[in-house]
Amino acid sequence: MASEMQRYDTNEDDEEMDVKEEDDEDDDDEDKNGTFNAMAGFDGAHGSSSSNRFQHHQQYQEPPTPQGGSRRCRPLEEKERTKLRERQRRAITAKILAGLRRHGNYNLRVRADINDVIAALAREAGWVVLPDGTTFPSKSHSQVTGATGGTPTTMVTSSSSHIPTQHTPPASLKGTPSGFQNTADHSACQVKSVFIPTSSPYDSSSTARSQTSAMVADGQDTQNDPFLVGSGDSLDKQVIDIHTKLQKRDFAGTPYIPVYVMLPLGVINMKSELVDADGLVKQLRVLKSINVDGVMVDCWWGIVEANAPQDYNWNGYKRLFQVVREHKLKIKVVMSFHECGGNIGDDVCIPLPHWVSEIGRSNPDIYFTDRAGRRNPECLSWGIDKERVLKGRTAVEVYFDYMRSFRVEFDEFFEDGIISMVEVGLGPCGELRYPSNPVKHGWRYPGVGEFQCYDQYLLKSLRKAAEARGHSFWARGPDNAGSYNSQPQETGFFCDGGDYDGYYGRFFLNWYSQVLVDHADRVLSLAKLAFDGTCIAAKLSGIHWWYKTSSHAAELTAGFYNPSNRDGYVAIAAMLKKHGAALNFKCAEMSMLEQAVDFSEALGDPEGLAWQVLNAAWDVSLPVCSENALLCHDRGGYNCLLEKAKLLNDPDGKHIFAFTYLRLGPLLIDGQNFMEFERFVKRMHGEAVLEFQS
């Protein structure tokens, strides 16, 4: 039996134990039957009185079961059928687990067990599953179930609370209690106990106290119920302790994570001059007072090299860096090779250099182009990385000359360690992605976006790839991928079973995503050369909408070949590892429990995407930085950022390398907002703070 069971999933130890125990019981039945037959044969020679005495002895040893019958000897055929059913059930379970791992978009480790799968399913349904197994409904889930009359509550067990567990259930639980009219009513409120409130884990304790008290069913005598330990006051105190355990996490003694604050986009004007130096000094002084580690600033290509090729004006940035150094703050620099303006959060307009725009008017193919021929001047097409179309230089050479000039001009800041990191812009918004969802072209969330490969240089690259594959007719973009605001199921390319997973689709998407990786590889190799000895980084934005579909359409148009049956971030992580670059990921804090955005309509999963990207980076030991994608000034939002930055009970002690807050302004340093931010910085640094500081 043991050898046969080894053929099935080794993770189902509990199921195998059940079957073995059942087999043991069957063997016990056979032993008893053998003893019975022997004794019956012996008594048969001694008359009926001995037989009666044996029958009385048998009744004493095998009392009736609760159903009123006695244990019977099961035939050998029935035992074999039982074993066969168990084997079939285990085989089905193994296939379910394999299918979920492969097709279900669940971020499970290689040897995930059934508990991991159940937890993943629960999280997808909107429940919160803590590492110790404690499960309770999220706020949004409780609102939905409350509207339909459900009762989304979970009883606290002894593994996750301080309340002793009653080992012997009360007699009334054996059947339907007298207080219920029928079994349906009983099933709706079967057990009275202590429940975790459905409010946010970051609500105040007073709110938790009132909500938890209301979780006990109406009309129930809490003092006499054996499942409720102690009086009402002590119960209330225990409930508060449970809720505090969930909502309060002590970050004192946790790893130190540096906190940077992004400076305003327009801190340097188009004349390369520092704007409002006196106001900036006051703000930096305030940041230094709470031990912020440094600031982050964009060095705009459109400002520094605005007028002519290789005519760099760093004056404004020199003055800015001197002011920052005077306040003993560090600097994270962004090499911004994209335009500013037209995107969410942009409050200034900084175009590409004028001389580049002049080239673009005569040769618009230097820009990314969609299927309809619309050009996007936000950044240069990756098709000209090796094309000498920029006054005799390739795009990669232009980027390298710019970075080398910066390194020479600010040598003293590098030598003194003031500049701690250089983030290299690799696409729109400085992020490594195609500009597949431009608002200026009419895109609106949650549209799938469009492929951006229709300039002559990328089309030439596609044609070479198709000819090398032996299918020259594949030298085209998909003609059934919809438009910017299409949904996956409305297109023939992205729908379930669509062309994205066909021979041509796989060829095109592999080429499209490889162009992205090759561009980053070329630019980062030169950045590593220019900034030798200084940490470099690349930013990756989380395209989380349609993540729960098979095709992951929005990710595909952005250049991430990450459908449900393929991990599209492993190649990016390997490329970054090759250059010793850090990953700056901008989706890590977007929790479905905390944001007001409705992800269900777009089948989005920002948390699932974040886990996939972070695990791809951590698997190759990449340092990971993060920044908030949305404005945050409240304690709940900061707590969410902290939980993402410092993972709870992670066996490897994983945490992010640095955090950047977006962004410095009057609202941040205003009264209560600044107090909450100071508290957040202290906890990022691993310092102890007052939990109920207001």
Side-chain angles (χ1 to χ4, degrees):
M1 179 64 185
S3 61
E4 293 177 352
M5 292 175 64
Q6 289 175 356
R7 292 179 297 176
Y8 298 96
D9 196 340
T10 58
N11 291 331
E12 302 180 36
D13 297 335
D14 294 339
E15 297 172 356
E16 295 180 0
M17 185 176 295
D18 294 340
V19 177
K20 290 179 180 178
E21 290 177 352
E22 184 178 8
D23 294 341
D24 293 341
E25 292 174 356
D26 295 338
D27 295 339
D28 293 343
D29 290 341
E30 292 178 353
D31 294 341
K32 291 178 181 178
N33 290 328
T35 304
F36 171 81
N37 294 334
M39 293 182 66
F42 177 79
D43 284 353
H46 289 77
S48 60
S49 61
S50 299
S51 177
N52 292 336
R53 285 194 304 269
F54 171 74
Q55 291 175 1
H56 175 75
H57 177 70
Q58 180 189 19
Q59 292 174 358
Y60 173 78
Q61 286 191 337
E62 293 192 7
T65 63
Q67 289 79 13
S70 60
R71 291 180 60 92
R72 61 184 179 85
C73 172
R74 294 192 301 171
L76 182 60
E77 294 182 359
E78 184 176 347
K79 290 195 298 181
E80 291 299 328
R81 285 196 297 268
T82 300
K83 295 177 184 178
L84 181 60
R85 284 195 300 269
E86 291 298 324
R87 294 168 187 166
Q88 292 174 343
R89 182 175 63 84
R90 287 195 303 274
I92 293 173
T93 302
K95 292 181 180 178
I96 292 174
L97 293 176
L100 288 173
R101 292 189 188 101
R102 183 174 181 182
H103 305 295
N105 297 335
Y106 296 108
N107 297 312
L108 304 174
R109 63 180 191 273
V110 176
R111 296 189 61 81
D113 58 16
I114 188 66
N115 292 335
D116 296 320
V117 177
I118 294 175
L121 293 171
R123 292 189 183 102
E124 184 180 41
W127 292 72
V128 177
V129 182
L130 298 183
D132 65 354
T134 303
T135 305
F136 55 92
S138 66
K139 185 174 182 180
S140 59
H141 179 73
S142 63
Q143 292 173 349
V144 173
T145 53
T148 58
T151 57
T153 54
T154 304
M155 185 174 68
V156 179
T157 63
S158 59
S159 63
S160 59
S161 71
H162 304 294
I163 302 177
T165 302
Q166 294 289 338
H167 297 287
T168 305
S172 60
L173 294 180
K174 295 180 180 179
T176 304
S178 58
F180 297 96
Q181 297 298 324
N182 51 44
T183 57
D185 294 337
H186 170 56
S187 62
C189 188
Q190 182 171 335
V191 178
K192 301 295 188 296
S193 185
V194 180
F195 293 82
I196 296 175
T198 59
S199 60
S200 169
Y202 303 115
D203 292 343
S204 62
S205 58
S206 59
T207 305
R209 184 185 302 111
S210 61
Q211 290 183 348
T212 306
S213 301
M215 298 304 292
V216 180
D218 296 337
Q220 177 71 16
D221 185 1
T222 60
Q223 294 182 351
N224 296 329
D225 196 313
F227 275 83
L228 295 180
V229 181
S231 63
D233 292 338
S234 62
L235 170 64
D236 197 42
K237 181 177 184 299
Q238 291 168 343
V239 170
I240 295 174
D241 292 339
I242 296 171
H243 187 72
T244 301
K245 180 180 178 182
L246 292 176
Q247 78 165 23
K248 309 296 182 190
R249 179 181 167 194
D250 185 10
F251 289 91
T254 56
Y256 185 101
I257 296 179
V259 177
Y260 293 77
V261 176
M262 173 71 81
L263 296 183
L265 293 172
V267 67
I268 303 294
N269 62 23
M270 291 299 298
K271 298 179 181 180
S272 192
E273 299 172 339
L274 179 60
V275 177
D276 190 15
D278 293 337
L280 179 63
V281 167
K282 294 178 181 178
Q283 291 178 331
L284 293 180
R285 191 176 298 141
V286 171
L287 293 181
K288 185 60 180 179
S289 68
I290 61 172
N291 296 321
V292 167
D293 295 270
V295 296
M296 191 174 194
V297 59
D298 288 281
C299 289
W300 294 102
W301 182 34
I303 293 178
V304 176
E305 198 180 0
N307 299 317
Q310 295 181 284
D311 180 15
Y312 306 109
N313 182 0
W314 298 103
N315 293 336
Y317 289 102
K318 287 182 179 179
R319 175 65 183 132
L320 172 62
F321 286 19
Q322 289 170 358
V323 172
V324 175
R325 179 169 59 182
E326 290 170 0
H327 290 82
K328 294 180 171 55
L329 294 169
K330 294 187 179 296
I331 305 173
K332 289 175 65 175
V333 180
V334 182
M335 299 284 101
S336 298
F337 297 112
H338 61 284
E339 75 169 11
C340 179
N343 291 308
I344 298 175
D346 292 349
D347 54 5
V348 297
C349 181
I350 304 174
L352 297 185
H354 299 313
W355 60 273
V356 173
S357 300
E358 292 176 358
I359 296 174
R361 279 190 284 271
S362 59
N363 181 14
D365 283 296
I366 67 173
Y367 302 125
F368 283 106
T369 308
D370 64 16
R371 186 174 180 83
R374 287 169 291 194
R375 315 289 183 172
N376 190 336
E378 186 175 355
C379 60
L380 297 180
S381 168
W382 301 333
I384 65 170
D385 277 359
K386 297 187 289 186
E387 300 287 341
R388 297 190 176 277
V389 295
L390 300 176
K391 301 289 187 179
R393 293 186 296 168
T394 67
V396 171
E397 290 173 344
V398 170
Y399 302 147
F400 177 64
D401 291 341
Y402 182 86
M403 291 186 289
R404 185 172 54 183
S405 172
F406 175 81
R407 178 62 179 82
V408 172
E409 290 290 336
F410 295 93
D411 179 70
E412 58 179 308
F413 293 93
F414 282 97
E415 295 299 327
D416 295 341
I418 301 299
I419 297 178
S420 60
M421 178 182 290
V422 178
E423 183 178 297
V424 183
L426 296 171
C429 297
E431 300 164 353
L432 179 58
R433 62 176 176 86
Y434 287 87
S436 58
N437 49 7
V439 176
K440 65 180 69 176
H441 289 167
W443 175 87
R444 295 295 182 270
Y445 176 85
V448 299
E450 289 191 21
F451 292 109
Q452 306 289 315
C453 60
Y454 294 95
D455 62 84
Q456 62 168 318
Y457 302 104
L458 285 180
L459 286 177
K460 182 175 70 173
S461 172
L462 176 60
R463 184 165 53 254
K464 288 182 179 179
E467 291 173 352
R469 182 69 181 269
H471 303 291
S472 58
F473 56 92
W474 281 356
R476 57 178 176 81
D479 54 8
N480 58 347
S483 59
Y484 283 112
N485 294 310
S486 297
Q487 297 189 4
Q489 297 305 321
E490 300 171 351
T491 71
F493 192 81
F494 298 119
C495 66
D496 291 344
D499 293 344
Y500 80 92
D501 202 28
Y503 288 108
Y504 160 73
R506 291 196 294 269
F507 159 78
F508 173 80
L509 293 173
N510 185 71
W511 167 83
Y512 190 72
S513 62
Q514 191 61 45
V515 170
L516 176 145
V517 174
D518 290 343
H519 167 73
D521 185 33
R522 285 189 288 265
V523 177
L524 290 179
S525 64
L526 295 178
K528 183 180 180 181
L529 181 63
F531 303 117
D532 185 29
T534 302
C535 180
I536 61 175
K539 181 187 289 188
L540 205 65
S541 182
I543 309 296
H544 57 80
W545 50 102
W546 307 118
Y547 185 81
K548 291 185 177 180
T549 62
S550 297
S551 62
H552 294 217
E555 292 173 85
L556 297 185
T557 58
F560 307 125
Y561 190 8
N562 188 53
S564 59
N565 57 357
R566 186 181 189 275
D567 192 335
Y569 298 100
V570 171
I572 296 175
M575 178 271 301
L576 295 177
K577 179 66 174 179
K578 169 185 173 183
H579 300 294
L583 170 65
N584 183 9
F585 186 58
K586 197 180 176 180
C587 187
E589 96 288 354
M590 296 184 63
S591 170
M592 294 182 67
L593 304 177
E594 299 298 325
Q595 301 300 331
V597 180
D598 182 13
F599 298 127
S600 59
E601 180 181 355
L603 296 177
D605 186 5
E607 199 153 286
L609 172 62
W611 272 114
Q612 181 182 359
V613 175
L614 294 179
N615 284 325
W618 281 329
D619 282 347
V620 293
S621 302
L622 277 184
V624 178
C625 306
S626 183
E627 58 187 49
N628 54 305
L630 303 177
L631 192 63
C632 175
H633 293 298
D634 62 282
R635 183 171 299 188
Y638 285 133
N639 285 339
C640 183
L641 292 172
L642 283 161
E643 294 290 345
K644 300 301 179 185
K646 302 182 178 185
L647 303 183
L648 180 64
N649 295 332
D650 185 86
D652 300 319
K654 297 187 183 74
H655 59 85
I656 66 171
F657 176 70
F659 179 83
T660 301
Y661 177 85
L662 273 62
R663 94 181 43 245
L664 179 62
L667 191 60
L668 174 63
I669 60 177
D670 176 60
Q672 181 67 27
N673 291 344
F674 186 71
M675 293 177 64
E676 291 294 340
F677 182 67
E678 178 184 9
R679 181 177 181 274
F680 168 72
V681 172
K682 287 182 180 294
R683 302 182 84 188
M684 274 289 191
H685 290 170
E687 301 177 17
V689 296
L690 294 177
E691 288 295 335
F692 296 96
Q693 178 181 343
S694 60

